[in-house]
Amino acid sequence: MDWLVSMPKVELHAHLNGSIRNSTLLELARELGEKGTIVFSDFEHVIKKNDRSLREVFKLFDLIHIVTTDHKTITRITKEVVEDFAAENVVYLELRTTPKRNDSIGMSKKSYMEAVVEGLRSISNLDINLSSDDFDKCSSTNEKKIFVRLLLSIDRRESTESAMETVNLALEMRDVGVVGIDLSGNPTIGEWATFFPALKFAREQGLSVTLHCGEVPNSVEIQSMLDFLPGRIGHACCFQDQEWRKLKSSKIPVEICLTSNIRTETISSIDVHHFAELYKANHPIVLCTDDSGVFSTNLSTEYALVSSTFGLGRMELFELARKAVDYIYAGKGVKMELIKVFESVGRTLE
Ligand code: 6MZ
């Protein structure tokens, strides 16, 4: 495990609010309980529950949003989440979050995202590189270096107009590290046709797009999503034979979130997870955490799980981590820097 923690890693599927530290969530919930905004004991029980259905997970997210949705808290959790990923040697992080509007506290989607960016900038003891394409341009000499890029999520509850607003915000924020758009949220809600115009526009404007795809069986939607040819998809759990064939021929990289899929009972047990089939077929895959806070995991643990379940050795785990660099949404300069990082560690393994 120590070795897996020290290995450089790339995280491409992490939701900000799902990655909140348990200790922070409990602290914030306790404070709101004292103010009478929530009943803390209800909250405590839900947070500590382990195996939740996918529906229960989305109920939990609604609770988390009550606790986290003010500017100061968003700034705090962004800082903590990046620090946690850096601490386990994640060298490139694509962090995704849903810009939220809350008129009662004067929050717009834009001010929400500004709070996120403030969180990134407030990290003083890390070499955090937001807009530059080159590690060497970092001024400080701290040992931990991490590139962070942002994806703006469209929640499946949103309207076309609201989704379009998020895409326009992403375009405005390209110079502070926004590289793409994600479609996420409760997969039993919303229609592909609602989001399609905004996603198409995003891509036409040069943003990368990743989609939560096949979290529940929905053949029509899965086919439409694969036809869209997104840059990556997340999960791909409930695919039929025909969809597997289409996915494999498309070579669309899949963000694999093992613990999340097991905890939400989207996959019945780890040994039958489609990781094995995609890995054997040499299909592009990247191991990710999804919601490290909600599912009590981290990226090193996900690699350890692959090792213990599917028997991958050190070289194979390292290759898996290294190949993820091919699927990042940041530009060429960042890719080159990451290749160098992996090359230098790779030499010590030969
Ligand atoms: C689909 C998910 C998710 O955006 O508030 N989210 N959407 N499937 C999943 N796997 C179980 N995990 C998280 O982070 C939390 C939001 O991310 C999406 C949900 O919309 C959730 O409300 P942000 O930072």
Side-chain angles (χ1 to χ4, degrees):
M1 190 65 190
D2 281 355
W3 185 78
L4 287 175
V5 173
S6 67
M7 178 177 82
K9 292 172 288 294
V10 167
E11 169 63 83
L12 301 183
H13 188 135
H15 297 268
L16 174 62
N17 278 291
S19 307
I20 184 173
R21 287 179 191 162
N22 256 332
S23 55
T24 300
L25 187 54
L26 283 171
E27 180 194 319
L28 295 169
R30 194 168 285 122
E31 276 171 20
L32 279 198
E34 279 160 14
K35 284 187 201 153
T37 316
I38 59 165
V39 179
F40 177 65
S41 55
D42 292 357
F43 208 87
E44 195 177 14
H45 163 76
V46 182
I47 294 170
K48 289 182 176 164
K49 187 177 177 203
N50 248 343
D51 295 338
R52 299 180 192 94
S53 69
L54 203 58
R55 269 174 205 277
E56 283 175 322
V57 165
F58 288 102
K59 265 195 201 154
L60 176 62
F61 279 125
D62 287 341
L63 276 174
I64 292 179
H65 291 150
I66 295 172
V67 175
T68 61
T69 306
D70 71 83
H71 295 108
K72 205 171 106 244
T73 309
I74 290 299
T75 298
R76 170 183 173 180
I77 63 170
T78 304
K79 177 175 184 283
E80 291 180 353
V81 166
V82 175
E83 283 172 347
D84 290 348
F85 277 112
E88 58 157 343
N89 285 301
V90 169
V91 289
Y92 177 89
L93 165 66
E94 258 170 44
L95 188 61
R96 55 185 79 187
T97 193
T98 322
K100 295 169 192 75
R101 184 177 156 186
N102 183 350
D103 293 337
S104 67
I105 56 163
M107 178 184 280
S108 62
K109 285 188 175 190
K110 186 170 182 176
S111 71
Y112 174 96
M113 283 313 302
E114 284 166 350
V116 170
V117 172
E118 195 184 322
L120 298 180
R121 293 208 165 114
S122 71
I123 303 172
S124 53
N125 59 344
L126 284 177
D127 275 355
I128 190 157
N129 205 329
L130 254 191
S131 53
S132 159
D133 237 13
D134 191 344
F135 262 150
D136 297 338
K137 286 182 194 147
C138 298
S139 53
S140 82
T141 54
N142 292 306
E143 68 284 7
K144 296 258 184 244
K145 292 182 176 181
I146 182 168
F147 280 104
V148 181
R149 293 293 182 271
L150 297 169
L151 302 177
L152 268 49
S153 300
I154 294 168
D155 188 306
R156 296 182 59 110
R157 287 180 288 204
E158 291 184 61
S159 63
T160 305
E161 293 68 40
S162 176
M164 203 62 101
E165 192 194 338
T166 296
V167 173
N168 280 317
L169 180 59
L171 291 169
E172 248 180 72
M173 298 187 78
R174 283 209 258 205
D175 61 340
V176 285
V178 175
V179 289
I181 295 289
D182 157 55
L183 176 67
S184 56
N186 187 337
T188 62
I189 293 174
E191 298 290 330
W192 170 248
T194 308
F195 318 116
F196 176 74
L199 295 168
K200 184 168 168 280
F201 176 66
R203 196 165 54 191
E204 283 164 3
Q205 295 299 310
L207 290 166
S208 297
V209 175
T210 179
L211 305 172
H212 280 64
C213 178
E215 282 189 281
V216 291
N218 184 343
S219 222
V220 174
E221 182 176 279
I222 293 170
Q223 298 274 355
S224 305
M225 285 184 167
L226 295 178
D227 286 340
F228 181 75
L229 289 177
R232 300 192 303 257
I233 58 169
H235 300 293
C237 294
C238 305
F239 276 35
Q240 306 292 329
D241 288 349
Q242 197 199 343
E243 290 137 27
W244 282 126
R245 280 196 293 276
K246 197 168 182 144
L247 173 70
K248 284 182 187 163
S249 69
S250 72
K251 298 271 177 227
I252 297 168
V254 181
E255 303 152 358
I256 299 271
C257 309
L258 295 169
T259 300
S260 161
N261 296 159
I262 300 303
R263 288 284 178 91
T264 56
E265 296 165 8
T266 314
I267 298 288
S268 59
S269 84
I270 184 114
D271 48 308
V272 298
H273 196 283
H274 47 288
F275 169 87
E277 193 191 328
L278 292 176
Y279 183 77
K280 259 192 244 139
N282 213 10
H283 188 86
I285 47 177
V286 48
L287 282 191
C288 303
T289 53
D290 201 10
D291 299 290
S292 55
V294 168
F295 300 124
S296 308
T297 187
N298 63 28
L299 197 51
S300 312
T301 304
E302 297 301 301
Y303 277 85
L305 211 50
V306 160
S307 170
S308 60
T309 312
F310 305 107
L312 270 68
R314 276 192 184 191
M315 260 336 260
E316 291 154 315
L317 293 168
F318 178 76
E319 272 305 296
L320 191 60
R322 193 186 61 79
K323 275 194 193 154
V325 174
D326 293 344
Y327 320 130
I328 70 170
Y329 286 162
K332 260 193 196 153
V334 175
K335 266 195 186 159
M336 297 300 288
E337 291 299 321
L338 293 172
I339 289 168
K340 277 193 231 160
V341 170
F342 278 93
E343 269 176 6
S344 74
V345 176
R347 277 194 289 274
T348 67
L349 291 175
E350 282 161 6

PDB file of all heavy atoms in Angstrom, residues 41-71:
ATOM      1  N   SER A  41     -28.628  14.383  14.350  1.00  0.00           N
ATOM      2  CA  SER A  41     -28.623  12.922  14.539  1.00  0.00           C
ATOM      3  C   SER A  41     -29.105  12.188  13.270  1.00  0.00           C
ATOM      4  O   SER A  41     -28.596  11.120  12.943  1.00  0.00           O
ATOM      5  CB  SER A  41     -29.466  12.528  15.747  1.00  0.00           C
ATOM      6  OG  SER A  41     -30.751  13.065  15.593  1.00  0.00           O
ATOM      7  N   ASP A  42     -30.037  12.777  12.530  1.00  0.00           N
ATOM      8  CA  ASP A  42     -30.487  12.156  11.253  1.00  0.00           C
ATOM      9  C   ASP A  42     -29.318  12.109  10.290  1.00  0.00           C
ATOM     10  O   ASP A  42     -29.054  11.126   9.605  1.00  0.00           O
ATOM     11  CB  ASP A  42     -31.562  13.015  10.559  1.00  0.00           C
ATOM     12  CG  ASP A  42     -32.852  13.032  11.337  1.00  0.00           C
ATOM     13  OD1 ASP A  42     -32.911  12.327  12.361  1.00  0.00           O
ATOM     14  OD2 ASP A  42     -33.768  13.770  10.914  1.00  0.00           O
ATOM     15  N   PHE A  43     -28.599  13.178  10.255  1.00  0.00           N
ATOM     16  CA  PHE A  43     -27.496  13.369   9.325  1.00  0.00           C
ATOM     17  C   PHE A  43     -26.358  12.405   9.623  1.00  0.00           C
ATOM     18  O   PHE A  43     -25.833  11.727   8.734  1.00  0.00           O
ATOM     19  CB  PHE A  43     -27.013  14.816   9.489  1.00  0.00           C
ATOM     20  CG  PHE A  43     -26.404  15.373   8.258  1.00  0.00           C
ATOM     21  CD1 PHE A  43     -27.191  15.984   7.292  1.00  0.00           C
ATOM     22  CD2 PHE A  43     -25.043  15.305   8.063  1.00  0.00           C
ATOM     23  CE1 PHE A  43     -26.617  16.510   6.151  1.00  0.00           C
ATOM     24  CE2 PHE A  43     -24.469  15.825   6.933  1.00  0.00           C
ATOM     25  CZ  PHE A  43     -25.253  16.431   5.973  1.00  0.00           C
ATOM     26  N   GLU A  44     -26.027  12.324  10.915  1.00  0.00           N
ATOM     27  CA  GLU A  44     -24.914  11.487  11.362  1.00  0.00           C
ATOM     28  C   GLU A  44     -25.130  10.027  10.922  1.00  0.00           C
ATOM     29  O   GLU A  44     -24.241   9.384  10.380  1.00  0.00           O
ATOM     30  CB  GLU A  44     -24.839  11.560  12.891  1.00  0.00           C
ATOM     31  CG  GLU A  44     -23.541  11.047  13.460  1.00  0.00           C
ATOM     32  CD  GLU A  44     -23.525  11.220  14.981  1.00  0.00           C
ATOM     33  OE1 GLU A  44     -24.586  11.467  15.575  1.00  0.00           O
ATOM     34  OE2 GLU A  44     -22.435  11.114  15.541  1.00  0.00           O
ATOM     35  N   HIS A  45     -26.364   9.578  11.112  1.00  0.00           N
ATOM     36  CA  HIS A  45     -26.691   8.197  10.762  1.00  0.00           C
ATOM     37  C   HIS A  45     -26.485   7.964   9.255  1.00  0.00           C
ATOM     38  O   HIS A  45     -25.890   6.981   8.839  1.00  0.00           O
ATOM     39  CB  HIS A  45     -28.136   7.911  11.173  1.00  0.00           C
ATOM     40  CG  HIS A  45     -28.703   6.696  10.527  1.00  0.00           C
ATOM     41  ND1 HIS A  45     -28.361   5.436  10.934  1.00  0.00           N
ATOM     42  CD2 HIS A  45     -29.554   6.560   9.470  1.00  0.00           C
ATOM     43  CE1 HIS A  45     -28.990   4.558  10.164  1.00  0.00           C
ATOM     44  NE2 HIS A  45     -29.715   5.215   9.271  1.00  0.00           N
ATOM     45  N   VAL A  46     -26.969   8.892   8.440  1.00  0.00           N
ATOM     46  CA  VAL A  46     -26.885   8.730   6.970  1.00  0.00           C
ATOM     47  C   VAL A  46     -25.431   8.738   6.511  1.00  0.00           C
ATOM     48  O   VAL A  46     -25.022   7.950   5.662  1.00  0.00           O
ATOM     49  CB  VAL A  46     -27.681   9.844   6.238  1.00  0.00           C
ATOM     50  CG1 VAL A  46     -27.638   9.635   4.740  1.00  0.00           C
ATOM     51  CG2 VAL A  46     -29.104   9.888   6.715  1.00  0.00           C
ATOM     52  N   ILE A  47     -24.638   9.631   7.100  1.00  0.00           N
ATOM     53  CA  ILE A  47     -23.230   9.721   6.690  1.00  0.00           C
ATOM     54  C   ILE A  47     -22.503   8.422   7.020  1.00  0.00           C
ATOM     55  O   ILE A  47     -21.698   7.927   6.239  1.00  0.00           O
ATOM     56  CB  ILE A  47     -22.508  10.889   7.410  1.00  0.00           C
ATOM     57  CG1 ILE A  47     -23.080  12.228   6.955  1.00  0.00           C
ATOM     58  CG2 ILE A  47     -21.003  10.864   7.118  1.00  0.00           C
ATOM     59  CD1 ILE A  47     -22.593  13.409   7.782  1.00  0.00           C
ATOM     60  N   LYS A  48     -22.814   7.885   8.193  1.00  0.00           N
ATOM     61  CA  LYS A  48     -22.064   6.703   8.642  1.00  0.00           C
ATOM     62  C   LYS A  48     -22.557   5.404   8.019  1.00  0.00           C
ATOM     63  O   LYS A  48     -21.895   4.376   8.117  1.00  0.00           O
ATOM     64  CB  LYS A  48     -22.065   6.636  10.171  1.00  0.00           C
ATOM     65  CG  LYS A  48     -21.165   7.743  10.737  1.00  0.00           C
ATOM     66  CD  LYS A  48     -21.081   7.726  12.228  1.00  0.00           C
ATOM     67  CE  LYS A  48     -20.101   8.795  12.706  1.00  0.00           C
ATOM     68  NZ  LYS A  48     -20.244   9.090  14.131  1.00  0.00           N
ATOM     69  N   LYS A  49     -23.719   5.438   7.352  1.00  0.00           N
ATOM     70  CA  LYS A  49     -24.225   4.225   6.705  1.00  0.00           C
ATOM     71  C   LYS A  49     -23.284   3.851   5.556  1.00  0.00           C
ATOM     72  O   LYS A  49     -22.823   4.728   4.820  1.00  0.00           O
ATOM     73  CB  LYS A  49     -25.633   4.495   6.168  1.00  0.00           C
ATOM     74  CG  LYS A  49     -26.278   3.249   5.632  1.00  0.00           C
ATOM     75  CD  LYS A  49     -27.702   3.502   5.164  1.00  0.00           C
ATOM     76  CE  LYS A  49     -28.232   2.206   4.571  1.00  0.00           C
ATOM     77  NZ  LYS A  49     -29.301   2.389   3.638  1.00  0.00           N
ATOM     78  N   ASN A  50     -23.014   2.564   5.404  1.00  0.00           N
ATOM     79  CA  ASN A  50     -22.032   2.159   4.405  1.00  0.00           C
ATOM     80  C   ASN A  50     -22.613   1.838   3.030  1.00  0.00           C
ATOM     81  O   ASN A  50     -22.285   2.485   2.045  1.00  0.00           O
ATOM     82  CB  ASN A  50     -21.232   0.964   4.923  1.00  0.00           C
ATOM     83  CG  ASN A  50     -19.805   1.369   5.192  1.00  0.00           C
ATOM     84  OD1 ASN A  50     -19.367   2.415   4.710  1.00  0.00           O
ATOM     85  ND2 ASN A  50     -19.090   0.573   5.944  1.00  0.00           N
ATOM     86  N   ASP A  51     -23.452   0.795   2.967  1.00  0.00           N
ATOM     87  CA  ASP A  51     -23.961   0.375   1.652  1.00  0.00           C
ATOM     88  C   ASP A  51     -25.250   1.118   1.338  1.00  0.00           C
ATOM     89  O   ASP A  51     -26.283   0.867   1.941  1.00  0.00           O
ATOM     90  CB  ASP A  51     -24.236  -1.138   1.660  1.00  0.00           C
ATOM     91  CG  ASP A  51     -22.944  -1.899   1.840  1.00  0.00           C
ATOM     92  OD1 ASP A  51     -21.875  -1.335   1.538  1.00  0.00           O
ATOM     93  OD2 ASP A  51     -22.996  -3.061   2.279  1.00  0.00           O
ATOM     94  N   ARG A  52     -25.159   2.008   0.384  1.00  0.00           N
ATOM     95  CA  ARG A  52     -26.364   2.762   0.007  1.00  0.00           C
ATOM     96  C   ARG A  52     -26.743   2.410  -1.415  1.00  0.00           C
ATOM     97  O   ARG A  52     -25.869   2.154  -2.234  1.00  0.00           O
ATOM     98  CB  ARG A  52     -26.085   4.271   0.023  1.00  0.00           C
ATOM     99  CG  ARG A  52     -25.688   4.805   1.338  1.00  0.00           C
ATOM    100  CD  ARG A  52     -25.440   6.294   1.233  1.00  0.00           C
ATOM    101  NE  ARG A  52     -24.782   6.718   2.438  1.00  0.00           N
ATOM    102  CZ  ARG A  52     -23.476   6.807   2.568  1.00  0.00           C
ATOM    103  NH1 ARG A  52     -22.700   6.546   1.567  1.00  0.00           N
ATOM    104  NH2 ARG A  52     -22.948   7.183   3.714  1.00  0.00           N
ATOM    105  N   SER A  53     -28.043   2.450  -1.699  1.00  0.00           N
ATOM    106  CA  SER A  53     -28.465   2.283  -3.082  1.00  0.00           C
ATOM    107  C   SER A  53     -28.122   3.583  -3.811  1.00  0.00           C
ATOM    108  O   SER A  53     -27.839   4.609  -3.177  1.00  0.00           O
ATOM    109  CB  SER A  53     -29.975   2.036  -3.138  1.00  0.00           C
ATOM    110  OG  SER A  53     -30.632   3.226  -2.769  1.00  0.00           O
ATOM    111  N   LEU A  54     -28.185   3.533  -5.134  1.00  0.00           N
ATOM    112  CA  LEU A  54     -27.868   4.732  -5.921  1.00  0.00           C
ATOM    113  C   LEU A  54     -28.828   5.877  -5.544  1.00  0.00           C
ATOM    114  O   LEU A  54     -28.414   7.026  -5.408  1.00  0.00           O
ATOM    115  CB  LEU A  54     -27.965   4.383  -7.410  1.00  0.00           C
ATOM    116  CG  LEU A  54     -27.189   5.262  -8.384  1.00  0.00           C
ATOM    117  CD1 LEU A  54     -25.703   5.285  -8.066  1.00  0.00           C
ATOM    118  CD2 LEU A  54     -27.394   4.792  -9.810  1.00  0.00           C
ATOM    119  N   ARG A  55     -30.097   5.529  -5.330  1.00  0.00           N
ATOM    120  CA  ARG A  55     -31.085   6.546  -4.937  1.00  0.00           C
ATOM    121  C   ARG A  55     -30.715   7.185  -3.599  1.00  0.00           C
ATOM    122  O   ARG A  55     -30.809   8.399  -3.423  1.00  0.00           O
ATOM    123  CB  ARG A  55     -32.472   5.918  -4.804  1.00  0.00           C
ATOM    124  CG  ARG A  55     -33.260   5.957  -6.069  1.00  0.00           C
ATOM    125  CD  ARG A  55     -34.564   5.174  -5.893  1.00  0.00           C
ATOM    126  NE  ARG A  55     -35.026   4.706  -7.185  1.00  0.00           N
ATOM    127  CZ  ARG A  55     -35.720   5.457  -8.021  1.00  0.00           C
ATOM    128  NH1 ARG A  55     -36.048   6.682  -7.707  1.00  0.00           N
ATOM    129  NH2 ARG A  55     -36.110   4.970  -9.188  1.00  0.00           N
ATOM    130  N   GLU A  56     -30.318   6.339  -2.640  1.00  0.00           N
ATOM    131  CA  GLU A  56     -29.941   6.862  -1.309  1.00  0.00           C
ATOM    132  C   GLU A  56     -28.732   7.775  -1.399  1.00  0.00           C
ATOM    133  O   GLU A  56     -28.626   8.758  -0.667  1.00  0.00           O
ATOM    134  CB  GLU A  56     -29.656   5.703  -0.348  1.00  0.00           C
ATOM    135  CG  GLU A  56     -30.903   5.032   0.163  1.00  0.00           C
ATOM    136  CD  GLU A  56     -30.604   3.806   1.026  1.00  0.00           C
ATOM    137  OE1 GLU A  56     -29.656   3.061   0.702  1.00  0.00           O
ATOM    138  OE2 GLU A  56     -31.317   3.607   2.004  1.00  0.00           O
ATOM    139  N   VAL A  57     -27.813   7.450  -2.316  1.00  0.00           N
ATOM    140  CA  VAL A  57     -26.629   8.293  -2.489  1.00  0.00           C
ATOM    141  C   VAL A  57     -27.046   9.700  -2.922  1.00  0.00           C
ATOM    142  O   VAL A  57     -26.524  10.697  -2.429  1.00  0.00           O
ATOM    143  CB  VAL A  57     -25.642   7.657  -3.510  1.00  0.00           C
ATOM    144  CG1 VAL A  57     -24.609   8.654  -3.978  1.00  0.00           C
ATOM    145  CG2 VAL A  57     -24.952   6.460  -2.879  1.00  0.00           C
ATOM    146  N   PHE A  58     -28.022   9.780  -3.809  1.00  0.00           N
ATOM    147  CA  PHE A  58     -28.439  11.112  -4.257  1.00  0.00           C
ATOM    148  C   PHE A  58     -29.194  11.877  -3.171  1.00  0.00           C
ATOM    149  O   PHE A  58     -29.106  13.098  -3.102  1.00  0.00           O
ATOM    150  CB  PHE A  58     -29.205  11.023  -5.586  1.00  0.00           C
ATOM    151  CG  PHE A  58     -28.249  10.703  -6.690  1.00  0.00           C
ATOM    152  CD1 PHE A  58     -28.147   9.427  -7.198  1.00  0.00           C
ATOM    153  CD2 PHE A  58     -27.359  11.666  -7.135  1.00  0.00           C
ATOM    154  CE1 PHE A  58     -27.206   9.105  -8.156  1.00  0.00           C
ATOM    155  CE2 PHE A  58     -26.401  11.359  -8.087  1.00  0.00           C
ATOM    156  CZ  PHE A  58     -26.324  10.079  -8.605  1.00  0.00           C
ATOM    157  N   LYS A  59     -29.871  11.158  -2.283  1.00  0.00           N
ATOM    158  CA  LYS A  59     -30.475  11.803  -1.115  1.00  0.00           C
ATOM    159  C   LYS A  59     -29.369  12.376  -0.238  1.00  0.00           C
ATOM    160  O   LYS A  59     -29.464  13.484   0.271  1.00  0.00           O
ATOM    161  CB  LYS A  59     -31.272  10.779  -0.304  1.00  0.00           C
ATOM    162  CG  LYS A  59     -32.713  10.762  -0.646  1.00  0.00           C
ATOM    163  CD  LYS A  59     -33.465   9.995   0.449  1.00  0.00           C
ATOM    164  CE  LYS A  59     -34.791   9.520  -0.090  1.00  0.00           C
ATOM    165  NZ  LYS A  59     -35.285   8.355   0.589  1.00  0.00           N
ATOM    166  N   LEU A  60     -28.301  11.585  -0.081  1.00  0.00           N
ATOM    167  CA  LEU A  60     -27.172  12.044   0.742  1.00  0.00           C
ATOM    168  C   LEU A  60     -26.547  13.299   0.132  1.00  0.00           C
ATOM    169  O   LEU A  60     -26.195  14.237   0.846  1.00  0.00           O
ATOM    170  CB  LEU A  60     -26.131  10.921   0.893  1.00  0.00           C
ATOM    171  CG  LEU A  60     -24.863  11.306   1.659  1.00  0.00           C
ATOM    172  CD1 LEU A  60     -25.181  11.715   3.100  1.00  0.00           C
ATOM    173  CD2 LEU A  60     -23.859  10.155   1.682  1.00  0.00           C
ATOM    174  N   PHE A  61     -26.438  13.327  -1.203  1.00  0.00           N
ATOM    175  CA  PHE A  61     -25.872  14.519  -1.835  1.00  0.00           C
ATOM    176  C   PHE A  61     -26.723  15.750  -1.553  1.00  0.00           C
ATOM    177  O   PHE A  61     -26.197  16.833  -1.332  1.00  0.00           O
ATOM    178  CB  PHE A  61     -25.707  14.310  -3.349  1.00  0.00           C
ATOM    179  CG  PHE A  61     -24.470  13.557  -3.693  1.00  0.00           C
ATOM    180  CD1 PHE A  61     -24.510  12.410  -4.453  1.00  0.00           C
ATOM    181  CD2 PHE A  61     -23.230  13.997  -3.238  1.00  0.00           C
ATOM    182  CE1 PHE A  61     -23.358  11.699  -4.754  1.00  0.00           C
ATOM    183  CE2 PHE A  61     -22.067  13.301  -3.535  1.00  0.00           C
ATOM    184  CZ  PHE A  61     -22.138  12.146  -4.289  1.00  0.00           C
ATOM    185  N   ASP A  62     -28.038  15.576  -1.553  1.00  0.00           N
ATOM    186  CA  ASP A  62     -28.897  16.729  -1.237  1.00  0.00           C
ATOM    187  C   ASP A  62     -28.603  17.225   0.174  1.00  0.00           C
ATOM    188  O   ASP A  62     -28.554  18.431   0.424  1.00  0.00           O
ATOM    189  CB  ASP A  62     -30.377  16.351  -1.394  1.00  0.00           C
ATOM    190  CG  ASP A  62     -30.746  16.213  -2.869  1.00  0.00           C
ATOM    191  OD1 ASP A  62     -29.993  16.743  -3.708  1.00  0.00           O
ATOM    192  OD2 ASP A  62     -31.768  15.574  -3.179  1.00  0.00           O
ATOM    193  N   LEU A  63     -28.369  16.290   1.092  1.00  0.00           N
ATOM    194  CA  LEU A  63     -28.007  16.682   2.460  1.00  0.00           C
ATOM    195  C   LEU A  63     -26.655  17.384   2.483  1.00  0.00           C
ATOM    196  O   LEU A  63     -26.490  18.433   3.113  1.00  0.00           O
ATOM    197  CB  LEU A  63     -27.925  15.437   3.350  1.00  0.00           C
ATOM    198  CG  LEU A  63     -29.225  14.927   3.949  1.00  0.00           C
ATOM    199  CD1 LEU A  63     -28.993  13.624   4.674  1.00  0.00           C
ATOM    200  CD2 LEU A  63     -29.796  15.955   4.916  1.00  0.00           C
ATOM    201  N   ILE A  64     -25.689  16.804   1.763  1.00  0.00           N
ATOM    202  CA  ILE A  64     -24.346  17.420   1.739  1.00  0.00           C
ATOM    203  C   ILE A  64     -24.435  18.849   1.214  1.00  0.00           C
ATOM    204  O   ILE A  64     -23.811  19.762   1.737  1.00  0.00           O
ATOM    205  CB  ILE A  64     -23.360  16.578   0.879  1.00  0.00           C
ATOM    206  CG1 ILE A  64     -23.077  15.240   1.562  1.00  0.00           C
ATOM    207  CG2 ILE A  64     -22.051  17.337   0.631  1.00  0.00           C
ATOM    208  CD1 ILE A  64     -22.151  14.313   0.800  1.00  0.00           C
ATOM    209  N   HIS A  65     -25.271  19.036   0.190  1.00  0.00           N
ATOM    210  CA  HIS A  65     -25.376  20.381  -0.393  1.00  0.00           C
ATOM    211  C   HIS A  65     -25.953  21.403   0.589  1.00  0.00           C
ATOM    212  O   HIS A  65     -25.576  22.566   0.556  1.00  0.00           O
ATOM    213  CB  HIS A  65     -26.186  20.337  -1.691  1.00  0.00           C
ATOM    214  CG  HIS A  65     -25.452  19.620  -2.787  1.00  0.00           C
ATOM    215  ND1 HIS A  65     -26.076  18.926  -3.781  1.00  0.00           N
ATOM    216  CD2 HIS A  65     -24.130  19.482  -3.017  1.00  0.00           C
ATOM    217  CE1 HIS A  65     -25.166  18.390  -4.577  1.00  0.00           C
ATOM    218  NE2 HIS A  65     -23.979  18.712  -4.138  1.00  0.00           N
ATOM    219  N   ILE A  66     -26.822  20.940   1.486  1.00  0.00           N
ATOM    220  CA  ILE A  66     -27.354  21.864   2.510  1.00  0.00           C
ATOM    221  C   ILE A  66     -26.191  22.346   3.393  1.00  0.00           C
ATOM    222  O   ILE A  66     -26.105  23.505   3.771  1.00  0.00           O
ATOM    223  CB  ILE A  66     -28.419  21.170   3.397  1.00  0.00           C
ATOM    224  CG1 ILE A  66     -29.627  20.794   2.553  1.00  0.00           C
ATOM    225  CG2 ILE A  66     -28.830  22.070   4.574  1.00  0.00           C
ATOM    226  CD1 ILE A  66     -30.643  19.924   3.308  1.00  0.00           C
ATOM    227  N   VAL A  67     -25.277  21.422   3.660  1.00  0.00           N
ATOM    228  CA  VAL A  67     -24.169  21.731   4.569  1.00  0.00           C
ATOM    229  C   VAL A  67     -23.064  22.536   3.883  1.00  0.00           C
ATOM    230  O   VAL A  67     -22.414  23.371   4.501  1.00  0.00           O
ATOM    231  CB  VAL A  67     -23.591  20.403   5.128  1.00  0.00           C
ATOM    232  CG1 VAL A  67     -22.373  20.653   5.984  1.00  0.00           C
ATOM    233  CG2 VAL A  67     -24.648  19.675   5.937  1.00  0.00           C
ATOM    234  N   THR A  68     -22.854  22.272   2.601  1.00  0.00           N
ATOM    235  CA  THR A  68     -21.657  22.852   1.956  1.00  0.00           C
ATOM    236  C   THR A  68     -21.914  24.081   1.087  1.00  0.00           C
ATOM    237  O   THR A  68     -20.970  24.730   0.669  1.00  0.00           O
ATOM    238  CB  THR A  68     -20.966  21.805   1.042  1.00  0.00           C
ATOM    239  OG1 THR A  68     -21.876  21.420   0.019  1.00  0.00           O
ATOM    240  CG2 THR A  68     -20.513  20.599   1.825  1.00  0.00           C
ATOM    241  N   THR A  69     -23.181  24.373   0.792  1.00  0.00           N
ATOM    242  CA  THR A  69     -23.372  25.386  -0.243  1.00  0.00           C
ATOM    243  C   THR A  69     -23.365  26.831   0.276  1.00  0.00           C
ATOM    244  O   THR A  69     -24.356  27.518   0.225  1.00  0.00           O
ATOM    245  CB  THR A  69     -24.635  25.070  -1.070  1.00  0.00           C
ATOM    246  OG1 THR A  69     -24.490  23.725  -1.535  1.00  0.00           O
ATOM    247  CG2 THR A  69     -24.765  25.949  -2.295  1.00  0.00           C
ATOM    248  N   ASP A  70     -22.225  27.280   0.783  1.00  0.00           N
ATOM    249  CA  ASP A  70     -22.002  28.724   0.904  1.00  0.00           C
ATOM    250  C   ASP A  70     -20.557  28.961   0.474  1.00  0.00           C
ATOM    251  O   ASP A  70     -19.739  28.034   0.482  1.00  0.00           O
ATOM    252  CB  ASP A  70     -22.291  29.246   2.325  1.00  0.00           C
ATOM    253  CG  ASP A  70     -21.255  28.789   3.307  1.00  0.00           C
ATOM    254  OD1 ASP A  70     -20.197  29.435   3.394  1.00  0.00           O
ATOM    255  OD2 ASP A  70     -21.482  27.769   3.975  1.00  0.00           O
ATOM    256  N   HIS A  71     -20.260  30.179   0.075  1.00  0.00           N
ATOM    257  CA  HIS A  71     -18.968  30.436  -0.572  1.00  0.00           C
ATOM    258  C   HIS A  71     -17.775  30.004   0.285  1.00  0.00           C
ATOM    259  O   HIS A  71     -16.831  29.382  -0.197  1.00  0.00           O
ATOM    260  CB  HIS A  71     -18.833  31.928  -0.914  1.00  0.00           C
ATOM    261  CG  HIS A  71     -19.831  32.378  -1.939  1.00  0.00           C
ATOM    262  ND1 HIS A  71     -20.895  33.171  -1.635  1.00  0.00           N
ATOM    263  CD2 HIS A  71     -19.924  32.120  -3.249  1.00  0.00           C
ATOM    264  CE1 HIS A  71     -21.616  33.392  -2.729  1.00  0.00           C
ATOM    265  NE2 HIS A  71     -21.041  32.770  -3.720  1.00  0.00           N
TER     266      HIS A  71
END
